[in-house]
C-alpha cells in the first residue's frame, strides 16, 4: 500500500495545486512578497475569477521555482490547479519533458512582464500575442480548432473551450501586429513566429511533433532531403565535464562502429549558434545529479551501417534514425559515471538524431567544412557496397562488419563486409580457420576480398539446444554433446596459443548434415595464459588489467565475467564443470539442477505479473487515491 501511495504522490508534469486555504488573490500577493519572477501566461483577463475546472498557467524563472514550493502543495480535489512551467523545464516544470518555451523566449517574456489590474504579472501585449500563437501552433496544432492554412475551415472536432481564432486576432490588434483574419491559420502563424525569432529549433520541433500531427506533417514537408549515404552522419557534442575523457570517447565511438570524420573544440570556433539552437538552448543538468557543463567539443562521425531504431525508441526520441547512437551515448555516459557516486553523476554527451540534423548542427559551427564531410562520407559508403546480389540482411550488431545473405554463383552464401579500418578483425577470421583446420567445426571461407569474406551458408537445424520450458527456460540449454565440442574448439585454439574471446552461443549453429559450426572469430587473439588447459582462457575468464589486446565494448572492465554473462545462461553448467572434461551425463545433471533453480524465481515473476493486471491491484489503487484526497 505504501508503494502505491508513493507512486501516486510522485510528480508527473507541471500540474500543482494552490496550498491550504489561500485564495487566488492571496496566492498572487504571496508571490510578490517572495519576489518571484513569474507571469500568468493566459486567461488572466477575468482574474481573480476562474471558471470551474480551469487552471492557471504560470511561467517562472528557474531560480525562483524553490520559492513557490510551499505555496503549491495542495490537493487535487480541493484546491485551485496551477500548471507551473520554468525557463528550462527543471524539477517537473516541463511540457512533455521539454521547456514550455525555449529558454531565450521564456526569459524575454519574463523580462517584459507587466502588472495586470494590480493583481498579477502578465506578458506585455506583444509577448501575449506571440506566446499565445506559439502555444496554438506548437503545443496544440489542429486541436486548437485553428485552420491549418488559408482557405481551410475550422478543424471541426478540435479543441473548443476557447475561440483561438478570435482571441489571436484580438491580441494581434492589441500588440500592433498587422494580421488579417484570413492569416489566423497554423501555417501563417508558424511563418510569422519564424520571422520574429520565436520559432523553436528543429530538434525541439521534432520532439513537439510527436504530440502534434499537423507539426509532424509540416516538418516532413520541410525536411532536408539528403542522399542515402549521408543518413549515417551523426554529430556528438561533448560537454565540459567530459572533455577530460576525449581519448576514451574516441576509442568508444570507434568500438561502436563510428568513423571520426572531423572534430573541434568549441573554444576554437564560434559555438554560440550551436549553444543557442541545439537542444532548444537548454544545457541544464536535466534528470542528473549535477550539470555536465556547457557544450565544449564537437565530433562529426559516420556510421556506414546504421541500425533502424525500434518503434518504442522513435516514440521516445522522435527523429532518431540509428539506434546505435543511443547505445553509444549510453556507453559514454557510463564511461564517466561508473566510478562516481550517484550525487556526482551527470550527462557528458548529446548528439544529433539523424544525418540531416547532424549537418544542421555542423553549420552552426563551421559551414565551410560541410562539403568535405559529405565527400568523406561518400567515399566510405562506396567502399562498402556489395559486389554480390544481396538477398537479405542478417542479424548482428554490425559494429565491425555487416552480414548479408547473398547469391554466390548458383548457391546462397553469407557475405561479411568489414568496416574500413577494421581489417584486423577480418584477419583474425581467416587465422581462426587455419588454426582450427584439424576440427570439422570451422565455417568455410569461400572467398576473401579486400574488405569482405564470403562464407558458406549453413542450415540451422535447431538441434543445438534442449530443455526448453516456457517462462522458466524458453531458449533451453546447449546439449551436453555440443558443450563438449565447444570445449574441444577452445582447447584447439589454446594449444596454438590463442583464445576465442567474445564467444557467444549465437555464434554457433548445428547444420543437419555437417554438425556443429562456429561462425565468428573477430576477437581471436594470442592468449596471455600458459598451460594446455582452459584455466585462464579469456573465452571463459575476465582479462587481467595487464592485457594489452583488443576487447569488445562489453569487456570494458575486469569485472566483466565472460562465462557467467555470455555462456552460462546457455550452457546451464558452472565454469568449473565446463573446464573439466566432464562426461555428458554430469553436464546433463548440472543442467537439471540449474533448471530447478530457475523455476522458483519464474514462479514468483508469474505471481507479480498476475498482480499487475489483477482487479485486486485496481482496488488497492482506488483505496490509496481516496486516502490521498
Amino acid at each position: 500500500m505504501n508503494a502505491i501511495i508513493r507512486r501516486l504522490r510522485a510528480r508527473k508534469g507541471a500540474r500543482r495545486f494552490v496550498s491550504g486555504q489561500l485564495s487566488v488573490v492571496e496566492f498572487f500577493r504571496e508571490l510578490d512578497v517572495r519576489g518571484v519572477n513569474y507571469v500568468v501566461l493566459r486567461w488572466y483577463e477575468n482574474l481573480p475569477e476562474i471558471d470551474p475546472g480551469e487552471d492557471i498557467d504560470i511561467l517562472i524563472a528557474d531560480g525562483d521555482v524553490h520559492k513557490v514550493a510551499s505555496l503549491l502543495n495542495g490537493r487535487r480535489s480541493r484546491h485551485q490547479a496551477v500548471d507551473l512551467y520554468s525557463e528550462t523545464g527543471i524539477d517537473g516544470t516541463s511540457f512533455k519533458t521539454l521547456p514550455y518555451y525555449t529558454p531565450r523566449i521564456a526569459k524575454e517574456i519574463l523580462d517584459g512582464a507587466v502588472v495586470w489590474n494590480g493583481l498579477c504579472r502578465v506578458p506585455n501585449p506583444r509577448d501575449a500575442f506571440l506566446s499565445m500563437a506559439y502555444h496554438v501552433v506548437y503545443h496544440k496544432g489542429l486541436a486548437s480548432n485553428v485552420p491549418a492554412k488559408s482557405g481551410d475551415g475550422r478543424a471541426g472536432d478540435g479543441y473548443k473551450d476557447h475561440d483561438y481564432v478570435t482571441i489571436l486576432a484580438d491580441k494581434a490588434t492589441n500588440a500592433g501586429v498587422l494580421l488579417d483574419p484570413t492569416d489566423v491559420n497554423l501555417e501563417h502563424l508558424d511563418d510569422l513566429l519564424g520571422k520574429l525569432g520565436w520559432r523553436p529549433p528543429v530538434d525541439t520541433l521534432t520532439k513537439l511533433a510527436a504530440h502534434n500531427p499537423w507539426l509532424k506533417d509540416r516538418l516532413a514537408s520541410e525536411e532536408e532531403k539528403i542522399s542515402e549515404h549521408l543518413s549515417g552522419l551523426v554529430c556528438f557534442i561533448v560537454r565540459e565535464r567530459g572533455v577530460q575523457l576525449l581519448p576514451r570517447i574516441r576509442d568508444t565511438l570507434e568500438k561502436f562502429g563510428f568513423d571520426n570524420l572531423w572534430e573541434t573544440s568549441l573554444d576554437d570556433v564560434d559555438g554560440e549558434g550551436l549553444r543557442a539552437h541545439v537542444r532548444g538552448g537548454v544545457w541544464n543538468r536535466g534528470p542528473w545529479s549535477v550539470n555536465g557543463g556547457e557544450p565544449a567539443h564537437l565530433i562529426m562521425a559516420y556510421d556506414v551501417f546504421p541500425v533502424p531504431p525500434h518503434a518504442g525508441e522513435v516514440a521516445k526520441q522522435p527523429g532518431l534514425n540509428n539506434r546505435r547512437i543511443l547505445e553509444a551515448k549510453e556507453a559514454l555516459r557510463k564511461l564517466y559515471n561508473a566510478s562516481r557516486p550517484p550525487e556526482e553523476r551527470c550527462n557528458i554527451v548529446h548528439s544529433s538524431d539523424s544525418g540531416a540534423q547532424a549537418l544542421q548542427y555542423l553549420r552552426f559551427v563551421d559551414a565551410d567544412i560541410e562539403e568535405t564531410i559529405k565527400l568523406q562520407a561518400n567515399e566510405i559508403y562506396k567502399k562498402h557496397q556489395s559486389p554480390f546480389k544481396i538477398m537479405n540482411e542478417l542479424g548482428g550488431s554490425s559494429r565491425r562488419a555487416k552480414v548479408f545473405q547473398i547469391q554466390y554463383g548458383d548457391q546462397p552464401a553469407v557475405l561479411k563486409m568489414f568496416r574500413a579500418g577494421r581489417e584486423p578483425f577480418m584477419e583474425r577470421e581467416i587465422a581462426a580457420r587455419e588454426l582450427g583446420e584439424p576440427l570439422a567445426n570451422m565455417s568455410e571461407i569461400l572467398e576473401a576480398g579486400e574488405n569482405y569474406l564470403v562464407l558458406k551458408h549453413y542450415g540451422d537445424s535447431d538441434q543445438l539446444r534442449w530443455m526448453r520450458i516456457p517462462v522458466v527456460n524458453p531458449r533451453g540449454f546447449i546439449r551436453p554433446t555440443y558443450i563438449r565440442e565447444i570445449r574441444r574448439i577452445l582447447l584447439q585454439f589454446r594449444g596454438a596459443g590463442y583464445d576465442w574471446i567474445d564467444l557467444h552461443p549465437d555464434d554457433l549453429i548445428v547444420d543437419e548434415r555437417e554438425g556443429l559450426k562456429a561462425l565468428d572469430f573477430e576477437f581471436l587473439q594470442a592468449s596471455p595464459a600458459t598451460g594446455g588447459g582452459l584455466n585462464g582462457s579469456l573465452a571463459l575468464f575476465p582479462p587481467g588489467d595487464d592485457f594489452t589486446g583488443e576487447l569488445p565494448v562489453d569487456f570494458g572492465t575486469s569485472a566483466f565475467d565472460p562465462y557467467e554473462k555470455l555462456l552460462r545462461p546457455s550452457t546451464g553448467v558452472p565454469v568449473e564443470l565446463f573446464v573439466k572434461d566432464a562426461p555428458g551425463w554430469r553436464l546433463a545433471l548440472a543442467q537439471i539442477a540449474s533448471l530447478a533453480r530457475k523455476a522458483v524465481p519464474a514462479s514468483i515473476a508469474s505471481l507479480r505479473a498476475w498482480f499487475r493486471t489483477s482487479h485486486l491491484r485496481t482496488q488497492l489503487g482506488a483505496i490509496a487515491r481516496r486516502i490521498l484526497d
Side-chain angles (χ1 to χ4, degrees):
M1 178 66 74
N2 288 337
I4 294 174
I5 291 173
R6 283 196 300 272
R7 284 197 295 272
L8 290 170
R9 282 178 174 163
R11 180 78 63 203
K12 293 184 184 296
R15 179 59 54 93
R16 272 93 165 149
F17 299 90
V18 175
S19 304
Q21 302 304 313
L22 285 177
S23 68
V24 171
V25 172
E26 291 168 334
F27 172 66
F28 286 126
R29 184 180 300 140
E30 190 60 30
L31 292 182
D32 291 336
V33 169
R34 299 187 182 196
V36 177
N37 184 10
Y38 77 97
V39 295
V40 178
L41 288 169
R42 50 188 168 268
W43 321 135
Y44 44 78
E45 289 83 0
N46 294 324
L47 287 175
E49 299 301 321
I50 301 176
D51 292 336
E54 289 289 344
D55 56 79
I56 304 173
D57 297 299
I58 292 179
L59 176 68
I60 186 172
D62 282 359
D64 288 347
V65 171
H66 71 283
K67 294 180 182 180
V68 302
S70 63
L71 302 177
L72 294 171
N73 57 13
R75 291 191 174 185
R76 179 184 302 273
S77 60
R78 302 179 187 177
H79 303 124
Q80 175 60 48
V82 170
D83 283 344
L84 188 70
Y85 304 107
S86 69
E87 291 172 279
T88 63
I90 61 171
D91 300 330
T93 59
S94 62
F95 175 77
K96 301 186 185 303
T97 74
L98 297 168
Y100 201 72
Y101 297 103
T102 62
R104 177 186 61 79
I105 290 173
K107 185 176 186 306
E108 187 173 325
I109 295 172
L110 290 168
D111 290 347
V114 295
V115 177
W116 176 265
N117 282 351
L119 177 66
C120 60
R121 289 162 53 86
V122 302
N124 64 47
R126 180 180 182 276
D127 291 348
F129 164 68
L130 293 174
S131 62
M132 181 67 78
Y134 188 112
H135 173 61
V136 165
V137 174
Y138 307 126
H139 296 158
K140 292 194 170 296
L142 292 174
S144 66
N145 207 21
V146 171
K149 60 181 182 291
S150 181
D152 283 2
R154 303 285 188 95
D157 296 328
Y159 187 90
K160 297 180 180 177
D161 286 353
H162 302 286
D163 181 359
Y164 284 105
V165 173
T166 301
I167 291 167
L168 283 167
D170 290 345
K171 286 188 177 292
T173 300
N174 293 338
V177 176
L178 295 177
L179 189 69
D180 188 272
T182 61
D183 289 336
V184 184
N185 61 75
L186 299 178
E187 283 191 3
H188 181 81
L189 291 171
D190 182 32
D191 290 338
L192 178 62
L193 290 167
K195 291 174 184 175
L196 297 176
W198 275 59
R199 196 183 203 234
V202 173
D203 55 357
T204 301
L205 289 173
T206 302
K207 292 178 172 61
L208 289 169
H211 310 280
N212 184 336
W214 173 84
L215 183 57
K216 184 177 181 179
D217 291 342
R218 174 82 158 172
L219 292 178
S221 68
E222 296 175 349
E223 185 178 4
E224 180 180 359
K225 305 303 180 186
I226 63 173
S227 302
E228 179 187 354
H229 71 273
L230 298 178
S231 64
L233 287 171
V234 56
C235 177
F236 290 98
I237 301 169
V238 182
R239 297 175 72 161
E240 289 170 317
R241 288 179 182 265
V243 170
Q244 60 181 299
L245 294 177
L246 274 174
R248 296 179 66 188
I249 288 173
R250 295 183 189 105
D251 181 60
T252 300
L253 290 178
E254 182 180 356
K255 284 185 175 181
F256 272 92
F258 293 99
D259 291 304
N260 189 338
L261 304 184
W262 181 77
E263 64 178 281
T264 183
S265 166
L266 294 182
D267 289 337
D268 299 334
V269 295
D270 182 5
E272 286 309 309
L274 183 140
R275 292 185 181 96
H277 292 89
V278 171
R279 303 186 76 247
V282 179
W283 299 96
N284 57 25
R285 62 180 173 84
W288 299 83
S289 299
V290 296
N291 195 312
E294 290 294 306
H297 199 89
L298 181 144
I299 297 174
M300 280 296 294
Y302 183 64
D303 181 3
V304 71
F305 298 135
V307 181
H310 302 313
E313 292 166 334
V314 175
K316 291 181 180 179
Q317 194 115 351
L320 182 71
N321 76 339
N322 183 0
R323 74 186 313 261
R324 200 188 317 278
I325 297 173
L326 297 181
E327 295 170 351
K329 286 195 293 188
E330 182 180 357
L332 293 175
R333 289 162 185 163
K334 285 182 179 178
L335 188 68
Y336 180 88
N337 291 313
S339 61
R340 288 173 167 79
E343 64 272 14
E344 294 181 11
R345 292 174 185 170
C346 68
N347 190 354
I348 65 164
V349 65
H350 302 277
S351 75
S352 56
D353 292 327
S354 66
Q357 201 175 86
L359 290 173
Q360 291 167 2
Y361 288 9
L362 178 65
R363 290 169 195 144
F364 289 130
V365 174
D366 190 341
D368 294 337
I369 203 169
E370 180 178 344
E371 289 307 313
T372 301
I373 295 293
K374 289 180 176 179
L375 288 172
Q376 286 179 284
N378 187 45
E379 285 301 310
I380 295 171
Y381 181 80
K382 287 192 297 186
K383 289 179 181 178
H384 293 81
Q385 299 309 295
S386 169
F388 309 100
K389 181 181 179 180
I390 293 176
M391 308 302 292
N392 58 67
E393 296 182 7
L394 302 179
S397 67
S398 64
R399 291 172 179 169
R400 297 164 295 278
K402 193 168 183 65
V403 185
F404 306 90
Q405 183 178 342
I406 60 171
Q407 189 65 35
Y408 188 69
D410 59 355
Q411 62 179 320
V414 174
L415 172 68
K416 193 164 190 178
M417 177 76 69
F418 289 83
R419 294 175 182 267
R422 278 70 168 183
E423 291 80 5
F425 297 103
M426 177 174 160
E427 293 166 2
R428 291 169 192 154
E429 293 275 15
I430 296 171
R433 273 71 179 187
E434 296 173 354
L435 296 171
E437 188 175 6
L439 303 176
N441 304 110
M442 301 296 105
S443 52
E444 182 181 351
I445 295 176
L446 303 177
E447 181 181 328
E450 182 181 352
N451 66 334
Y452 68 84
L453 297 175
V454 178
L455 305 170
K456 184 175 180 179
H457 181 269
Y458 297 95
D460 188 354
S461 65
D462 198 32
Q463 293 299 306
L464 181 66
R465 297 170 184 263
W466 70 333
M467 291 191 184
R468 290 187 176 94
I469 300 177
V471 181
V472 176
N473 195 33
R475 294 201 66 193
F477 291 135
I478 297 175
R479 295 176 185 271
T481 183
Y482 296 128
I483 290 177
R484 289 172 59 81
E485 283 196 55
I486 295 168
R487 185 176 181 278
R488 282 196 291 272
I489 297 172
L490 294 178
L491 286 171
Q492 173 68 25
F493 288 141
R494 197 68 188 283
Y498 287 82
D499 279 332
W500 185 6
I501 301 173
D502 199 33
L503 164 58
H504 282 257
D506 292 341
D507 298 332
L508 304 161
I509 63 170
V510 175
D511 182 82
E512 195 170 84
R513 290 180 297 178
E514 299 194 30
L516 181 71
K517 292 292 179 181
L519 307 176
D520 190 326
F521 304 97
E522 292 179 3
F523 285 94
L524 182 78
Q525 291 172 79
S527 174
T530 57
L534 291 180
N535 283 318
S537 167
L538 297 187
L540 310 175
F541 299 98
D545 292 335
D546 57 344
F547 179 71
T548 58
E550 195 158 14
L551 296 171
V553 172
D554 295 337
F555 285 62
T557 66
S558 58
F560 184 85
D561 189 323
Y563 186 81
E564 291 298 321
K565 295 290 186 181
L566 304 180
L567 291 175
R568 184 163 184 174
S570 293
T571 64
V573 305
V575 68
E576 296 82 6
L577 195 59
F578 184 95
V579 168
K580 297 177 182 178
D581 190 15
W585 64 268
R586 284 205 53 193
L587 295 173
L589 285 177
Q591 289 178 331
I592 292 171
S594 180
L595 200 60
R597 286 191 295 272
K598 294 178 74 171
V600 173
S603 300
I604 294 173
S606 296
L607 285 172
R608 287 175 175 165
W610 168 81
F611 178 73
R612 281 195 294 269
T613 58
S614 71
H615 185 56
L616 175 61
R617 183 174 186 268
T618 304
Q619 289 178 316
L620 290 174
I623 293 170
R625 289 186 185 92
R626 286 199 293 272
I627 293 171
L628 288 174
D629 288 340

